[in-house]
């Protein structure tokens, strides 16, 4: 870990940033129960445990005052009509936000709060997306054939709560309808 201020470059194509410590890969098998079309999910998994997304993290202490930074790459594809997406999470410390900067591709950030608010924002290259404290967030790649690549930075003490989303899902899903991305209610969303 660096003990001096440092710089790094962000990828122009889907390469990792010039500095990183951990490379996390998430495959289809880690998304059990998250996609609406369970039959499509099982059929796809029987063929191949497809790589859905990757995260390159720069390691820093998980303490107040630090920022955890990195680059995520969500690959293109669908399970049934539902686009490839990240697991999504609340921060364990709910009152922590996150800054995203879209480098490449097209997609959407699906967000919601424990109070019942929801919001979907588009990812556009060159745009910053600010996730407010208290908002769970999931990144979705709505492109047919291009990676969605973004930089992120969040407080060192934030932590990740995946369990709530694993149990209840997000209120909204992003699916392909008539060849276009559409935001629809998640019929399987449940409180708690
Ligand atoms: C991001 C995400 C990353 C992968 O760094 O962790 O894009 O998504 P999941 O963590 O939901 O699998 C972030 O939001 N960190 O807090
Ligand atoms: Zn986060």
């Amino acid at each position: 870990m660096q003990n001096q201020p440092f710089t790094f470059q962000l990828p122009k194509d889907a390469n990792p940033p010039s500095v990183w410590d951990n490379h996390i890969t998430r495959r289809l098998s880690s998304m059990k129960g998250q996609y609406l079309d369970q039959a499509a999910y099982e059929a796809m998994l029987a063929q191949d445990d497809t790589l859905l997304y990757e995260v390159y993290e720069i390691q820093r202490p998980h303490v107040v005052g630090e920022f955890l930074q990195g680059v995520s790459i969500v690959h293109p594809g669908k399970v049934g009509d539902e686009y490839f997406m990240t697991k999504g999470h609340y921060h364990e410390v709910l009152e922590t936000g996150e800054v995203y900067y879209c480098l490449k591709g097209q997609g959407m950030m699906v967000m919601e709060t424990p109070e019942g608010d929801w919001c979907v924002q588009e990812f556009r290259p060159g745009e910053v997306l600010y996730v407010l404290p208290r908002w769970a967030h999931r990144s979705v790649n709505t492109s047919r054939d291009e990676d969605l690549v973004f930089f992120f930075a969040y407080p060192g003490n934030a932590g990740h709560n995946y369990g709530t989303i694993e149990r209840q899902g997000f209120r909204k899903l992003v699916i392909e309808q008539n060849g276009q991305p559409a935001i629809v209610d998640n019929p399987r969303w449940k409180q708690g």
Side-chain angles (χ1 to χ4, degrees):
M1 208 179 306
Q2 297 271 6
N3 59 5
Q4 288 220 314
F6 59 95
T7 65
F8 58 92
Q9 284 93 46
L10 297 172
K12 291 209 170 52
D13 297 304
N15 300 316
S18 59
V19 170
W20 57 272
D21 300 295
N22 307 318
H23 180 210
I24 299 155
T25 54
R26 291 255 201 261
R27 294 183 176 276
L28 200 57
S29 55
S30 67
M31 296 290 279
K32 197 159 180 59
Q34 293 302 301
Y35 283 98
L36 183 62
D37 189 338
Q38 300 282 336
Y41 174 85
E42 293 300 339
M44 201 166 162
L45 191 57
Q47 292 291 314
D48 183 35
D49 194 4
T50 309
L51 179 64
L52 302 181
Y53 62 99
E54 306 175 57
V55 183
Y56 291 94
E57 282 183 345
I58 296 173
Q59 204 169 326
R60 296 301 306 164
H62 291 195
V63 298
V64 174
E66 287 278 355
F67 287 102
L68 302 179
Q69 302 165 69
V71 166
S72 293
I73 302 163
V74 185
H75 296 299
K78 285 180 299 172
V79 176
D81 293 329
E82 201 174 354
Y83 298 103
F84 283 2
M85 60 193 184
T86 59
K87 283 170 88 82
H89 56 264
Y90 280 101
H91 289 165
E92 214 163 271
V93 179
L94 204 52
E95 302 299 339
T96 53
E98 183 155 354
V99 172
Y100 279 74
Y101 178 66
C102 181
L103 295 157
K104 183 173 184 268
Q106 68 176 54
M108 292 190 190
M109 180 74 98
V110 179
M111 294 166 278
E112 66 185 49
T113 67
E115 288 74 32
D117 297 312
W118 67 271
C119 176
V120 178
Q121 287 283 346
E122 255 184 74
F123 274 114
R124 293 190 203 91
E127 274 191 15
V128 174
L129 198 162
Y130 180 45
V131 179
L132 266 62
R134 302 189 74 77
W135 287 76
H137 40 286
R138 161 181 283 166
S139 313
V140 183
N141 183 346
T142 55
S143 163
R144 223 165 259 267
D145 48 18
E146 200 185 9
D147 284 338
L148 172 66
V149 186
F150 52 82
F151 167 81
F152 59 82
Y154 60 98
N157 64 319
H160 290 121
N161 163 10
Y162 290 102
T164 304
I165 296 299
E166 277 167 7
R167 279 192 304 279
Q168 69 186 29
F170 276 84
R171 288 176 168 81
K172 299 289 168 181
L173 306 176
V174 185
I175 61 166
E176 190 179 81
Q177 263 180 2
N178 307 318
Q180 295 293 324
I183 300 158
V184 299
D185 285 338
N186 177 3
R188 285 170 50 229
W189 186 84
K190 52 177 185 290
Q191 184 90 55

